[in-house]
Amino acid sequence: LGGGGAMGESAYSFSLTTFSPSGKLVQIEHALNAVNQGHTSLGIKALDGVVIATEKKLPTTLVDGSTVQKTSLITEQCGLVYSGMGPDSRVLARKARKAAQAYWQLYHEPIPVAQLVREVATVMQEFTQSGGVRPFGVSLLVAGYDRGGPQLYQVDPSGTYFAWKASAIGKNMNNAKDFLEKRYNEEMELEDAIHTALLTLKEGFEGALDEHNVELGVVGRDRAFRVLTPAEVADYLQEVDM
Amino acid sequence: GEAMSIQTYNGAAIIAMSGQECVAIASDLRFGVQNQTLACDHKKVYRMHDRLYMGLSGLATDAQTLYKRFVFKHNLYRLREERDMRPQTFASMVSATLYEKRFGPYFVEPVIAGLDPEEGHAPFIAGMDSLGAMETAKDFMCAGTNSESLLGVCETFYRPGLGPEELFEVISQCMLSGVDRDALAGWGAVVYVISKDQCIARTLKGRMD
């Protein structure tokens, strides 16, 4: 596997991600820097569902925000959000969707969230050990609901993945995680989690948080992942301000 | 002897039946090469896990190879997903595996019987042709060199809602009568009755001809 999709002979049959004498893979460290410069995203797992949220800061007011969607639906039951390089996230979302469909075609069963995460993480790891490619410049938060209940996973550029009760990635991740640690409790329900997610994003947000600069993705017991409409987000924001 | 089709080279009879919170699957025990019988202890029902069994009729070498391939796939599945495969999932996988060889197929006809761990151990039976065209059934599924006879006798004797003991009696009578008119199948039979907590295997004494 190599060439990152380019067919035929590549002059780069060697990996660009190589060890430093201290045992680090410097390219992965740099990739994590790219993630940490990206817009903040977070996820919270509740008793009856998962919510993932991301800042949607557009570079100028000239951009048609209504066409921008940072949350990707992968299967009916699960979706993901990212921090870091948008185009890299699109590539991974595409590969994740394909992996999910291949699973469906073989087993006629929706792919369990953990298996999907494993496959995406495997791809990300391969790009740290293949010829002529660079690691992905994103961390992903994957939210889904399957027979194992609600689940939230984080996948990093190295291909490491963890299941989380609540997590944040991107620019404001440290403050956000501190906030989440205080606010999170195991008995939380989805509605509470959505409020907490908005409050957490609000903490580190420059300016006013409104339904146009935040995106919320939720999946509940109905096992149907969806991105909330701006109107729904506005309602939640109102509840949070009260 | 005369030229025989590849589907009748070895000979087999397989029946699966569904009952009340149980399923049964049976096969004959003959192993032969055309008209020559070589063994009378050749089972054609294979265990995938405690609540999932598969019968493979048709060419014996393909049945053996496929069984090994499915054990391989199921073992990897178990390691990855930390659970046994549901019967319907396994059946989909068998179907996909057979279709991969669409233009050079395995000469087998599988019959799958099991209990679904997700739906309260509900009975599941299915069968398919050698290209993987699958059909599920609520009552029974047959395959083999004389599958028409097997279907006829199942149609006559089967009733729904049988418990494990009754199901055993019915499927055994169907198997023993069904292979009587088949020169290439018979020489005894083996019957597995699968319930939530146990699986009982019994060997039937039949006409050894």
Side-chain angles (χ1 to χ4, degrees), chain A residues 189-212:
Chain A
E189 295 200 348
L190 190 53
E191 293 293 295
D192 304 325
I194 296 174
H195 294 139
T196 307
L198 287 170
L199 280 170
T200 315
L201 275 182
K202 226 178 159 191
E203 279 287 299
F205 197 79
E206 294 154 21
L209 200 70
D210 65 40
E211 69 269 24
H212 299 298

mmCIF file with all atom_site columns, all heavy atoms in Angstrom, chain A residues 189-212:
data_model
loop_
_atom_site.group_PDB
_atom_site.id
_atom_site.type_symbol
_atom_site.label_atom_id
_atom_site.label_alt_id
_atom_site.label_comp_id
_atom_site.label_asym_id
_atom_site.label_entity_id
_atom_site.label_seq_id
_atom_site.pdbx_PDB_ins_code
_atom_site.Cartn_x
_atom_site.Cartn_y
_atom_site.Cartn_z
_atom_site.occupancy
_atom_site.B_iso_or_equiv
_atom_site.pdbx_formal_charge
_atom_site.auth_seq_id
_atom_site.auth_comp_id
_atom_site.auth_asym_id
_atom_site.auth_atom_id
_atom_site.pdbx_PDB_model_num
ATOM 1   N N   . GLU A 1 189 ? -28.371 12.545 30.561 1.00 0.00 ? 189 GLU A N   1
ATOM 2   C CA  . GLU A 1 189 ? -29.182 12.137 29.416 1.00 0.00 ? 189 GLU A CA  1
ATOM 3   C C   . GLU A 1 189 ? -28.827 13.007 28.219 1.00 0.00 ? 189 GLU A C   1
ATOM 4   O O   . GLU A 1 189 ? -28.176 14.038 28.363 1.00 0.00 ? 189 GLU A O   1
ATOM 5   C CB  . GLU A 1 189 ? -30.651 12.252 29.761 1.00 0.00 ? 189 GLU A CB  1
ATOM 6   C CG  . GLU A 1 189 ? -31.043 11.275 30.854 1.00 0.00 ? 189 GLU A CG  1
ATOM 7   C CD  . GLU A 1 189 ? -32.527 10.997 30.901 1.00 0.00 ? 189 GLU A CD  1
ATOM 8   O OE1 . GLU A 1 189 ? -33.286 11.725 30.229 1.00 0.00 ? 189 GLU A OE1 1
ATOM 9   O OE2 . GLU A 1 189 ? -32.913 10.073 31.614 1.00 0.00 ? 189 GLU A OE2 1
ATOM 10  N N   . LEU A 1 190 ? -29.313 12.604 27.056 1.00 0.00 ? 190 LEU A N   1
ATOM 11  C CA  . LEU A 1 190 ? -28.889 13.253 25.814 1.00 0.00 ? 190 LEU A CA  1
ATOM 12  C C   . LEU A 1 190 ? -29.167 14.757 25.820 1.00 0.00 ? 190 LEU A C   1
ATOM 13  O O   . LEU A 1 190 ? -28.322 15.559 25.414 1.00 0.00 ? 190 LEU A O   1
ATOM 14  C CB  . LEU A 1 190 ? -29.572 12.583 24.629 1.00 0.00 ? 190 LEU A CB  1
ATOM 15  C CG  . LEU A 1 190 ? -29.067 12.979 23.230 1.00 0.00 ? 190 LEU A CG  1
ATOM 16  C CD1 . LEU A 1 190 ? -27.559 12.806 23.118 1.00 0.00 ? 190 LEU A CD1 1
ATOM 17  C CD2 . LEU A 1 190 ? -29.757 12.150 22.160 1.00 0.00 ? 190 LEU A CD2 1
ATOM 18  N N   . GLU A 1 191 ? -30.338 15.147 26.314 1.00 0.00 ? 191 GLU A N   1
ATOM 19  C CA  . GLU A 1 191 ? -30.681 16.577 26.337 1.00 0.00 ? 191 GLU A CA  1
ATOM 20  C C   . GLU A 1 191 ? -29.680 17.351 27.171 1.00 0.00 ? 191 GLU A C   1
ATOM 21  O O   . GLU A 1 191 ? -29.214 18.438 26.781 1.00 0.00 ? 191 GLU A O   1
ATOM 22  C CB  . GLU A 1 191 ? -32.092 16.776 26.904 1.00 0.00 ? 191 GLU A CB  1
ATOM 23  C CG  . GLU A 1 191 ? -33.197 16.227 26.019 1.00 0.00 ? 191 GLU A CG  1
ATOM 24  C CD  . GLU A 1 191 ? -33.323 17.010 24.715 1.00 0.00 ? 191 GLU A CD  1
ATOM 25  O OE1 . GLU A 1 191 ? -33.677 18.186 24.759 1.00 0.00 ? 191 GLU A OE1 1
ATOM 26  O OE2 . GLU A 1 191 ? -33.035 16.421 23.653 1.00 0.00 ? 191 GLU A OE2 1
ATOM 27  N N   . ASP A 1 192 ? -29.328 16.786 28.364 1.00 0.00 ? 192 ASP A N   1
ATOM 28  C CA  . ASP A 1 192 ? -28.323 17.444 29.211 1.00 0.00 ? 192 ASP A CA  1
ATOM 29  C C   . ASP A 1 192 ? -26.999 17.533 28.488 1.00 0.00 ? 192 ASP A C   1
ATOM 30  O O   . ASP A 1 192 ? -26.285 18.552 28.559 1.00 0.00 ? 192 ASP A O   1
ATOM 31  C CB  . ASP A 1 192 ? -28.096 16.652 30.509 1.00 0.00 ? 192 ASP A CB  1
ATOM 32  C CG  . ASP A 1 192 ? -29.381 16.448 31.276 1.00 0.00 ? 192 ASP A CG  1
ATOM 33  O OD1 . ASP A 1 192 ? -30.217 17.366 31.238 1.00 0.00 ? 192 ASP A OD1 1
ATOM 34  O OD2 . ASP A 1 192 ? -29.517 15.379 31.908 1.00 0.00 ? 192 ASP A OD2 1
ATOM 35  N N   . ALA A 1 193 ? -26.648 16.453 27.814 1.00 0.00 ? 193 ALA A N   1
ATOM 36  C CA  . ALA A 1 193 ? -25.358 16.405 27.124 1.00 0.00 ? 193 ALA A CA  1
ATOM 37  C C   . ALA A 1 193 ? -25.285 17.481 26.040 1.00 0.00 ? 193 ALA A C   1
ATOM 38  O O   . ALA A 1 193 ? -24.236 18.113 25.855 1.00 0.00 ? 193 ALA A O   1
ATOM 39  C CB  . ALA A 1 193 ? -25.134 15.022 26.524 1.00 0.00 ? 193 ALA A CB  1
ATOM 40  N N   . ILE A 1 194 ? -26.384 17.679 25.345 1.00 0.00 ? 194 ILE A N   1
ATOM 41  C CA  . ILE A 1 194 ? -26.395 18.707 24.286 1.00 0.00 ? 194 ILE A CA  1
ATOM 42  C C   . ILE A 1 194 ? -26.183 20.081 24.903 1.00 0.00 ? 194 ILE A C   1
ATOM 43  O O   . ILE A 1 194 ? -25.390 20.895 24.401 1.00 0.00 ? 194 ILE A O   1
ATOM 44  C CB  . ILE A 1 194 ? -27.716 18.661 23.480 1.00 0.00 ? 194 ILE A CB  1
ATOM 45  C CG1 . ILE A 1 194 ? -27.835 17.329 22.750 1.00 0.00 ? 194 ILE A CG1 1
ATOM 46  C CG2 . ILE A 1 194 ? -27.788 19.822 22.510 1.00 0.00 ? 194 ILE A CG2 1
ATOM 47  C CD1 . ILE A 1 194 ? -29.154 17.113 22.044 1.00 0.00 ? 194 ILE A CD1 1
ATOM 48  N N   . HIS A 1 195 ? -26.872 20.340 26.017 1.00 0.00 ? 195 HIS A N   1
ATOM 49  C CA  . HIS A 1 195 ? -26.681 21.639 26.696 1.00 0.00 ? 195 HIS A CA  1
ATOM 50  C C   . HIS A 1 195 ? -25.248 21.810 27.140 1.00 0.00 ? 195 HIS A C   1
ATOM 51  O O   . HIS A 1 195 ? -24.634 22.876 26.952 1.00 0.00 ? 195 HIS A O   1
ATOM 52  C CB  . HIS A 1 195 ? -27.626 21.751 27.899 1.00 0.00 ? 195 HIS A CB  1
ATOM 53  C CG  . HIS A 1 195 ? -29.069 21.812 27.523 1.00 0.00 ? 195 HIS A CG  1
ATOM 54  N ND1 . HIS A 1 195 ? -30.055 21.154 28.209 1.00 0.00 ? 195 HIS A ND1 1
ATOM 55  C CD2 . HIS A 1 195 ? -29.698 22.459 26.508 1.00 0.00 ? 195 HIS A CD2 1
ATOM 56  C CE1 . HIS A 1 195 ? -31.217 21.385 27.628 1.00 0.00 ? 195 HIS A CE1 1
ATOM 57  N NE2 . HIS A 1 195 ? -31.028 22.177 26.600 1.00 0.00 ? 195 HIS A NE2 1
ATOM 58  N N   . THR A 1 196 ? -24.703 20.751 27.746 1.00 0.00 ? 196 THR A N   1
ATOM 59  C CA  . THR A 1 196 ? -23.320 20.825 28.219 1.00 0.00 ? 196 THR A CA  1
ATOM 60  C C   . THR A 1 196 ? -22.350 21.044 27.066 1.00 0.00 ? 196 THR A C   1
ATOM 61  O O   . THR A 1 196 ? -21.380 21.803 27.190 1.00 0.00 ? 196 THR A O   1
ATOM 62  C CB  . THR A 1 196 ? -22.951 19.538 28.984 1.00 0.00 ? 196 THR A CB  1
ATOM 63  O OG1 . THR A 1 196 ? -23.923 19.314 29.998 1.00 0.00 ? 196 THR A OG1 1
ATOM 64  C CG2 . THR A 1 196 ? -21.569 19.637 29.600 1.00 0.00 ? 196 THR A CG2 1
ATOM 65  N N   . ALA A 1 197 ? -22.610 20.391 25.952 1.00 0.00 ? 197 ALA A N   1
ATOM 66  C CA  . ALA A 1 197 ? -21.736 20.549 24.781 1.00 0.00 ? 197 ALA A CA  1
ATOM 67  C C   . ALA A 1 197 ? -21.714 22.012 24.337 1.00 0.00 ? 197 ALA A C   1
ATOM 68  O O   . ALA A 1 197 ? -20.648 22.580 24.067 1.00 0.00 ? 197 ALA A O   1
ATOM 69  C CB  . ALA A 1 197 ? -22.206 19.652 23.648 1.00 0.00 ? 197 ALA A CB  1
ATOM 70  N N   . LEU A 1 198 ? -22.893 22.625 24.291 1.00 0.00 ? 198 LEU A N   1
ATOM 71  C CA  . LEU A 1 198 ? -22.972 24.026 23.860 1.00 0.00 ? 198 LEU A CA  1
ATOM 72  C C   . LEU A 1 198 ? -22.280 24.946 24.853 1.00 0.00 ? 198 LEU A C   1
ATOM 73  O O   . LEU A 1 198 ? -21.545 25.865 24.474 1.00 0.00 ? 198 LEU A O   1
ATOM 74  C CB  . LEU A 1 198 ? -24.428 24.433 23.669 1.00 0.00 ? 198 LEU A CB  1
ATOM 75  C CG  . LEU A 1 198 ? -25.088 23.830 22.432 1.00 0.00 ? 198 LEU A CG  1
ATOM 76  C CD1 . LEU A 1 198 ? -26.597 24.080 22.446 1.00 0.00 ? 198 LEU A CD1 1
ATOM 77  C CD2 . LEU A 1 198 ? -24.492 24.418 21.159 1.00 0.00 ? 198 LEU A CD2 1
ATOM 78  N N   . LEU A 1 199 ? -22.513 24.681 26.159 1.00 0.00 ? 199 LEU A N   1
ATOM 79  C CA  . LEU A 1 199 ? -21.864 25.506 27.176 1.00 0.00 ? 199 LEU A CA  1
ATOM 80  C C   . LEU A 1 199 ? -20.342 25.401 27.064 1.00 0.00 ? 199 LEU A C   1
ATOM 81  O O   . LEU A 1 199 ? -19.626 26.398 27.201 1.00 0.00 ? 199 LEU A O   1
ATOM 82  C CB  . LEU A 1 199 ? -22.302 25.050 28.571 1.00 0.00 ? 199 LEU A CB  1
ATOM 83  C CG  . LEU A 1 199 ? -23.664 25.548 29.035 1.00 0.00 ? 199 LEU A CG  1
ATOM 84  C CD1 . LEU A 1 199 ? -24.089 24.828 30.309 1.00 0.00 ? 199 LEU A CD1 1
ATOM 85  C CD2 . LEU A 1 199 ? -23.636 27.063 29.278 1.00 0.00 ? 199 LEU A CD2 1
ATOM 86  N N   . THR A 1 200 ? -19.851 24.183 26.834 1.00 0.00 ? 200 THR A N   1
ATOM 87  C CA  . THR A 1 200 ? -18.411 23.975 26.744 1.00 0.00 ? 200 THR A CA  1
ATOM 88  C C   . THR A 1 200 ? -17.828 24.731 25.554 1.00 0.00 ? 200 THR A C   1
ATOM 89  O O   . THR A 1 200 ? -16.779 25.381 25.668 1.00 0.00 ? 200 THR A O   1
ATOM 90  C CB  . THR A 1 200 ? -18.088 22.474 26.617 1.00 0.00 ? 200 THR A CB  1
ATOM 91  O OG1 . THR A 1 200 ? -18.858 21.741 27.552 1.00 0.00 ? 200 THR A OG1 1
ATOM 92  C CG2 . THR A 1 200 ? -16.623 22.214 26.834 1.00 0.00 ? 200 THR A CG2 1
ATOM 93  N N   . LEU A 1 201 ? -18.507 24.655 24.421 1.00 0.00 ? 201 LEU A N   1
ATOM 94  C CA  . LEU A 1 201 ? -18.005 25.368 23.243 1.00 0.00 ? 201 LEU A CA  1
ATOM 95  C C   . LEU A 1 201 ? -18.038 26.872 23.482 1.00 0.00 ? 201 LEU A C   1
ATOM 96  O O   . LEU A 1 201 ? -17.131 27.607 23.082 1.00 0.00 ? 201 LEU A O   1
ATOM 97  C CB  . LEU A 1 201 ? -18.848 25.036 22.008 1.00 0.00 ? 201 LEU A CB  1
ATOM 98  C CG  . LEU A 1 201 ? -18.479 23.770 21.227 1.00 0.00 ? 201 LEU A CG  1
ATOM 99  C CD1 . LEU A 1 201 ? -19.377 23.625 20.011 1.00 0.00 ? 201 LEU A CD1 1
ATOM 100 C CD2 . LEU A 1 201 ? -17.017 23.816 20.779 1.00 0.00 ? 201 LEU A CD2 1
ATOM 101 N N   . LYS A 1 202 ? -19.092 27.308 24.161 1.00 0.00 ? 202 LYS A N   1
ATOM 102 C CA  . LYS A 1 202 ? -19.267 28.743 24.432 1.00 0.00 ? 202 LYS A CA  1
ATOM 103 C C   . LYS A 1 202 ? -18.081 29.300 25.212 1.00 0.00 ? 202 LYS A C   1
ATOM 104 O O   . LYS A 1 202 ? -17.629 30.413 24.970 1.00 0.00 ? 202 LYS A O   1
ATOM 105 C CB  . LYS A 1 202 ? -20.551 28.938 25.255 1.00 0.00 ? 202 LYS A CB  1
ATOM 106 C CG  . LYS A 1 202 ? -21.438 30.042 24.787 1.00 0.00 ? 202 LYS A CG  1
ATOM 107 C CD  . LYS A 1 202 ? -22.688 30.107 25.625 1.00 0.00 ? 202 LYS A CD  1
ATOM 108 C CE  . LYS A 1 202 ? -23.282 31.512 25.463 1.00 0.00 ? 202 LYS A CE  1
ATOM 109 N NZ  . LYS A 1 202 ? -24.332 31.799 26.408 1.00 0.00 ? 202 LYS A NZ  1
ATOM 110 N N   . GLU A 1 203 ? -17.573 28.472 26.162 1.00 0.00 ? 203 GLU A N   1
ATOM 111 C CA  . GLU A 1 203 ? -16.478 28.894 27.041 1.00 0.00 ? 203 GLU A CA  1
ATOM 112 C C   . GLU A 1 203 ? -15.288 29.432 26.264 1.00 0.00 ? 203 GLU A C   1
ATOM 113 O O   . GLU A 1 203 ? -14.706 30.459 26.609 1.00 0.00 ? 203 GLU A O   1
ATOM 114 C CB  . GLU A 1 203 ? -16.001 27.707 27.895 1.00 0.00 ? 203 GLU A CB  1
ATOM 115 C CG  . GLU A 1 203 ? -16.846 27.440 29.110 1.00 0.00 ? 203 GLU A CG  1
ATOM 116 C CD  . GLU A 1 203 ? -16.639 28.471 30.193 1.00 0.00 ? 203 GLU A CD  1
ATOM 117 O OE1 . GLU A 1 203 ? -15.501 28.587 30.679 1.00 0.00 ? 203 GLU A OE1 1
ATOM 118 O OE2 . GLU A 1 203 ? -17.611 29.165 30.537 1.00 0.00 ? 203 GLU A OE2 1
ATOM 119 N N   . GLY A 1 204 ? -14.905 28.680 25.214 1.00 0.00 ? 204 GLY A N   1
ATOM 120 C CA  . GLY A 1 204 ? -13.687 29.060 24.514 1.00 0.00 ? 204 GLY A CA  1
ATOM 121 C C   . GLY A 1 204 ? -13.924 29.825 23.227 1.00 0.00 ? 204 GLY A C   1
ATOM 122 O O   . GLY A 1 204 ? -12.998 30.095 22.473 1.00 0.00 ? 204 GLY A O   1
ATOM 123 N N   . PHE A 1 205 ? -15.190 30.171 22.976 1.00 0.00 ? 205 PHE A N   1
ATOM 124 C CA  . PHE A 1 205 ? -15.518 30.772 21.687 1.00 0.00 ? 205 PHE A CA  1
ATOM 125 C C   . PHE A 1 205 ? -15.284 32.268 21.695 1.00 0.00 ? 205 PHE A C   1
ATOM 126 O O   . PHE A 1 205 ? -15.703 32.955 22.620 1.00 0.00 ? 205 PHE A O   1
ATOM 127 C CB  . PHE A 1 205 ? -16.984 30.468 21.371 1.00 0.00 ? 205 PHE A CB  1
ATOM 128 C CG  . PHE A 1 205 ? -17.335 30.664 19.930 1.00 0.00 ? 205 PHE A CG  1
ATOM 129 C CD1 . PHE A 1 205 ? -17.015 29.710 18.985 1.00 0.00 ? 205 PHE A CD1 1
ATOM 130 C CD2 . PHE A 1 205 ? -17.977 31.829 19.506 1.00 0.00 ? 205 PHE A CD2 1
ATOM 131 C CE1 . PHE A 1 205 ? -17.330 29.890 17.655 1.00 0.00 ? 205 PHE A CE1 1
ATOM 132 C CE2 . PHE A 1 205 ? -18.297 32.012 18.168 1.00 0.00 ? 205 PHE A CE2 1
ATOM 133 C CZ  . PHE A 1 205 ? -17.967 31.039 17.236 1.00 0.00 ? 205 PHE A CZ  1
ATOM 134 N N   . GLU A 1 206 ? -14.611 32.771 20.629 1.00 0.00 ? 206 GLU A N   1
ATOM 135 C CA  . GLU A 1 206 ? -14.408 34.218 20.519 1.00 0.00 ? 206 GLU A CA  1
ATOM 136 C C   . GLU A 1 206 ? -15.640 34.808 19.869 1.00 0.00 ? 206 GLU A C   1
ATOM 137 O O   . GLU A 1 206 ? -15.927 34.533 18.705 1.00 0.00 ? 206 GLU A O   1
ATOM 138 C CB  . GLU A 1 206 ? -13.175 34.508 19.655 1.00 0.00 ? 206 GLU A CB  1
ATOM 139 C CG  . GLU A 1 206 ? -11.879 34.030 20.292 1.00 0.00 ? 206 GLU A CG  1
ATOM 140 C CD  . GLU A 1 206 ? -10.817 33.743 19.220 1.00 0.00 ? 206 GLU A CD  1
ATOM 141 O OE1 . GLU A 1 206 ? -10.938 34.273 18.092 1.00 0.00 ? 206 GLU A OE1 1
ATOM 142 O OE2 . GLU A 1 206 ? -9.887  32.976 19.510 1.00 0.00 ? 206 GLU A OE2 1
ATOM 143 N N   . GLY A 1 207 ? -16.340 35.610 20.615 1.00 0.00 ? 207 GLY A N   1
ATOM 144 C CA  . GLY A 1 207 ? -17.555 36.218 20.066 1.00 0.00 ? 207 GLY A CA  1
ATOM 145 C C   . GLY A 1 207 ? -18.772 35.473 20.555 1.00 0.00 ? 207 GLY A C   1
ATOM 146 O O   . GLY A 1 207 ? -18.720 34.673 21.497 1.00 0.00 ? 207 GLY A O   1
ATOM 147 N N   . ALA A 1 208 ? -19.894 35.729 19.909 1.00 0.00 ? 208 ALA A N   1
ATOM 148 C CA  . ALA A 1 208 ? -21.152 35.117 20.337 1.00 0.00 ? 208 ALA A CA  1
ATOM 149 C C   . ALA A 1 208 ? -21.399 33.828 19.580 1.00 0.00 ? 208 ALA A C   1
ATOM 150 O O   . ALA A 1 208 ? -21.231 33.765 18.356 1.00 0.00 ? 208 ALA A O   1
ATOM 151 C CB  . ALA A 1 208 ? -22.297 36.104 20.115 1.00 0.00 ? 208 ALA A CB  1
ATOM 152 N N   . LEU A 1 209 ? -21.808 32.785 20.350 1.00 0.00 ? 209 LEU A N   1
ATOM 153 C CA  . LEU A 1 209 ? -22.127 31.503 19.735 1.00 0.00 ? 209 LEU A CA  1
ATOM 154 C C   . LEU A 1 209 ? -23.573 31.563 19.240 1.00 0.00 ? 209 LEU A C   1
ATOM 155 O O   . LEU A 1 209 ? -24.477 31.865 20.013 1.00 0.00 ? 209 LEU A O   1
ATOM 156 C CB  . LEU A 1 209 ? -21.974 30.394 20.784 1.00 0.00 ? 209 LEU A CB  1
ATOM 157 C CG  . LEU A 1 209 ? -21.790 28.968 20.277 1.00 0.00 ? 209 LEU A CG  1
ATOM 158 C CD1 . LEU A 1 209 ? -20.431 28.811 19.646 1.00 0.00 ? 209 LEU A CD1 1
ATOM 159 C CD2 . LEU A 1 209 ? -21.946 27.972 21.427 1.00 0.00 ? 209 LEU A CD2 1
ATOM 160 N N   . ASP A 1 210 ? -23.774 31.304 17.945 1.00 0.00 ? 210 ASP A N   1
ATOM 161 C CA  . ASP A 1 210 ? -25.164 31.247 17.480 1.00 0.00 ? 210 ASP A CA  1
ATOM 162 C C   . ASP A 1 210 ? -25.330 30.047 16.553 1.00 0.00 ? 210 ASP A C   1
ATOM 163 O O   . ASP A 1 210 ? -24.390 29.284 16.312 1.00 0.00 ? 210 ASP A O   1
ATOM 164 C CB  . ASP A 1 210 ? -25.573 32.553 16.790 1.00 0.00 ? 210 ASP A CB  1
ATOM 165 C CG  . ASP A 1 210 ? -24.781 32.804 15.512 1.00 0.00 ? 210 ASP A CG  1
ATOM 166 O OD1 . ASP A 1 210 ? -24.523 31.831 14.747 1.00 0.00 ? 210 ASP A OD1 1
ATOM 167 O OD2 . ASP A 1 210 ? -24.412 33.958 15.269 1.00 0.00 ? 210 ASP A OD2 1
ATOM 168 N N   . GLU A 1 211 ? -26.540 29.875 16.039 1.00 0.00 ? 211 GLU A N   1
ATOM 169 C CA  . GLU A 1 211 ? -26.854 28.645 15.293 1.00 0.00 ? 211 GLU A CA  1
ATOM 170 C C   . GLU A 1 211 ? -26.127 28.550 13.959 1.00 0.00 ? 211 GLU A C   1
ATOM 171 O O   . GLU A 1 211 ? -26.188 27.545 13.278 1.00 0.00 ? 211 GLU A O   1
ATOM 172 C CB  . GLU A 1 211 ? -28.377 28.525 15.068 1.00 0.00 ? 211 GLU A CB  1
ATOM 173 C CG  . GLU A 1 211 ? -28.965 29.551 14.112 1.00 0.00 ? 211 GLU A CG  1
ATOM 174 C CD  . GLU A 1 211 ? -29.428 30.806 14.825 1.00 0.00 ? 211 GLU A CD  1
ATOM 175 O OE1 . GLU A 1 211 ? -28.909 31.078 15.933 1.00 0.00 ? 211 GLU A OE1 1
ATOM 176 O OE2 . GLU A 1 211 ? -30.299 31.501 14.286 1.00 0.00 ? 211 GLU A OE2 1
ATOM 177 N N   . HIS A 1 212 ? -25.403 29.627 13.584 1.00 0.00 ? 212 HIS A N   1
ATOM 178 C CA  . HIS A 1 212 ? -24.694 29.591 12.306 1.00 0.00 ? 212 HIS A CA  1
ATOM 179 C C   . HIS A 1 212 ? -23.220 29.260 12.463 1.00 0.00 ? 212 HIS A C   1
ATOM 180 O O   . HIS A 1 212 ? -22.558 28.928 11.475 1.00 0.00 ? 212 HIS A O   1
ATOM 181 C CB  . HIS A 1 212 ? -24.848 30.935 11.574 1.00 0.00 ? 212 HIS A CB  1
ATOM 182 C CG  . HIS A 1 212 ? -26.269 31.263 11.277 1.00 0.00 ? 212 HIS A CG  1
ATOM 183 N ND1 . HIS A 1 212 ? -27.048 30.473 10.457 1.00 0.00 ? 212 HIS A ND1 1
ATOM 184 C CD2 . HIS A 1 212 ? -27.072 32.275 11.704 1.00 0.00 ? 212 HIS A CD2 1
ATOM 185 C CE1 . HIS A 1 212 ? -28.268 30.980 10.394 1.00 0.00 ? 212 HIS A CE1 1
ATOM 186 N NE2 . HIS A 1 212 ? -28.306 32.076 11.148 1.00 0.00 ? 212 HIS A NE2 1
#
